[in-house]
Amino acid sequence: MDGEGGNRRRALPRHSAQLKETPELIDSVGVRANLREAAMLVSVIIPLYNTEKYIGACLGSVLSQTHQELEVIVVDDGSTDGGAAIAEGIADQRVRVDRGANRGGAAARNRGLALAKGEIVAFLDADDLWYPEKLSEQISVLQSDRGVVAVGAVFQYVSGNGRRLLGRTGQDARDADSRELLQRGRLMPFPFNSSLIAWTDTVRAAGGFDESLPVVEDLDLMTRLALAGSVATVMRPLGAYRVHSDSLSANRHAKMMMLMRFVEKRATARLEGRSAPDLESFVSSYRLTRAQRRRDGAARRFRDAGLLVLEGRYVRATALCAAALVARPSYTLRRIAMRLPVRRTPSAVAQGGS
């Protein structure tokens, strides 16, 4: 997958399904449904920061969607490489680049959200990929039940060079208990920033991304979207989440875990009608219990083991995985199961709550 699209200038046709409603079409419920889907504009928001190596393949996967009624908003977040120029060089009128100073991923996504004209908004990180039917399958779920406000999908892990798949990430969140976990910030059923599509008005009404929360702004927005309605997951791989060998150092991992706990505490307080803590006071009083330290250590070791597998360093990866298994057996076994090779199976949909 690496380099797919690359630095080529592409001119893909725009299939806008500009058809007239003949009596034959009016008599065909299925065709009318397809027309409604084809006419629905999706705003795809891609924050871009120094991912020159991957942006061509990323945009190629968007422009190759079976659902072609798109506007693609690439928000350049103060990049210092040539990624924005690559995006600007794509000869497709649906792609536009908005350049600005470096303010972080949350601010870039909010900027794209402010510019979006589509009834549906979709998010994608510049180093990830979509499979061709991704949007089409998710839109059909979103349209089939107005109680559903957002739809994600299972994603496959892919190595930095795009040549190796390592299992999948994503889970069924259909039951009421899972929806409450979403509302409390205790569950992220799919890779939010590259998987999610949602009604644009719902995301705006929820307040968009909290720009004070680096790394976990996606989890925070999920807690608010889950208050607005049901969240669904397409339970088959519809995209690829790229894992880099330089992903998340130990210090960044510790910070991420701290911020995840802040989001959970704030979301739970909001759900229960209590006053929520502010970030500064939470950080100043933050202390880990022994159980939390062990849990975080196991998660970090398992993640590092996965990165080592991608690099072909299997002996060290096995040792780290064993250490994670000793610290947290149930967690580690569950994660191992999710990393097993997976084929792209027929679509199945799981809805989060009612």
Side-chain angles (χ1 to χ4, degrees), residues 38-57:
M40 189 162 287
L41 180 65
V42 179
S43 299
V44 181
I45 298 171
I46 304 176
L48 176 67
Y49 181 71
N50 290 349
T51 45
E52 176 183 23
K53 182 178 179 181
Y54 305 115
I55 185 60

Side-chain angles (χ1 to χ4, degrees), residues 8 14 31 35 71 75 93 102 133 165 170 206 212 215 220 222 225-226 228 230 233 238 245 285 294 296 312 351:
R8 298 173 308 202
R14 183 173 184 174
V31 173
L35 284 173
E71 64 165 357
V75 182
Q93 63 181 345
N102 178 243
E133 66 276 18
L165 292 174
S212 71
V215 185
D220 176 68
M222 175 64 82
L225 290 178
S230 296
T233 306
L238 291 180
S245 60
S285 62
R294 188 168 66 177
D296 291 358
Q351 294 187 7

Side-chain angles (χ1 to χ4, degrees), residues 23-92:
E24 292 78 10
L25 289 179
I26 292 173
D27 288 339
S28 172
V29 174
V31 173
R32 287 205 311 270
N34 289 337
L35 284 173
R36 286 197 299 272
E37 178 188 321
M40 189 162 287
L41 180 65
V42 179
S43 299
V44 181
I45 298 171
I46 304 176
L48 176 67
Y49 181 71
N50 290 349
T51 45
E52 176 183 23
K53 182 178 179 181
Y54 305 115
I55 185 60
C58 173
L59 286 169
S61 75
V62 174
L63 298 174
S64 298
Q65 290 292 298
T66 56
H67 181 91
Q68 287 278 296
E69 193 67 16
L70 307 169
E71 64 165 357
V72 185
I73 306 170
V74 179
V75 182
D76 180 46
D77 189 36
S79 296
T80 57
D81 65 3
I86 292 173
E88 289 171 336
I90 292 179
D92 191 304

Side-chain angles (χ1 to χ4, degrees), residues 272-338:
E272 296 176 354
R274 297 184 284 105
S275 107
D278 64 86
L279 181 58
E280 184 178 354
S281 62
F282 177 86
V283 171
S284 65
S285 62
Y286 181 71
R287 300 291 184 277
L288 284 176
T289 65
R290 179 180 298 179
Q292 287 173 330
R293 284 196 298 270
R294 188 168 66 177
R295 185 161 59 245
D296 291 358
R300 188 175 65 251
R301 290 186 184 96
F302 186 81
R303 180 183 178 87
D304 290 346
L307 294 173
L308 290 172
V309 168
L310 291 176
E311 297 172 356
R313 299 166 62 185
Y314 301 112
V315 174
R316 178 58 177 160
T318 301
L320 285 175
C321 191
L325 188 61
V326 170
R328 288 188 67 196
S330 61
Y331 164 86
T332 306
L333 289 172
R334 186 170 67 252
R335 302 301 291 181
I336 289 173
M338 293 179 70

Side-chain angles (χ1 to χ4, degrees), residues 215-245:
V215 185
V216 296
E217 69 273 13
D218 53 350
L219 177 64
D220 176 68
L221 179 54
M222 175 64 82
T223 66
R224 289 175 274 126
L225 290 178
L227 292 173
S230 296
V231 176
T233 306
V234 178
M235 291 302 295
R236 80 177 188 103
L238 291 180
Y241 175 81
R242 204 182 298 270
V243 181
H244 304 280
S245 60

Side-chain angles (χ1 to χ4, degrees), residues 113-140:
L113 185 62
L115 296 172
K117 298 177 181 177
E119 187 177 357
I120 294 173
V121 66
F123 298 96
L124 175 61
D125 284 348
D127 51 355
D128 294 338
L129 301 166
W130 286 349
Y131 299 155
E133 66 276 18
K134 192 258 187 193
L135 287 179
S136 182
E137 290 202 20
Q138 290 182 301
I139 290 169
S140 67

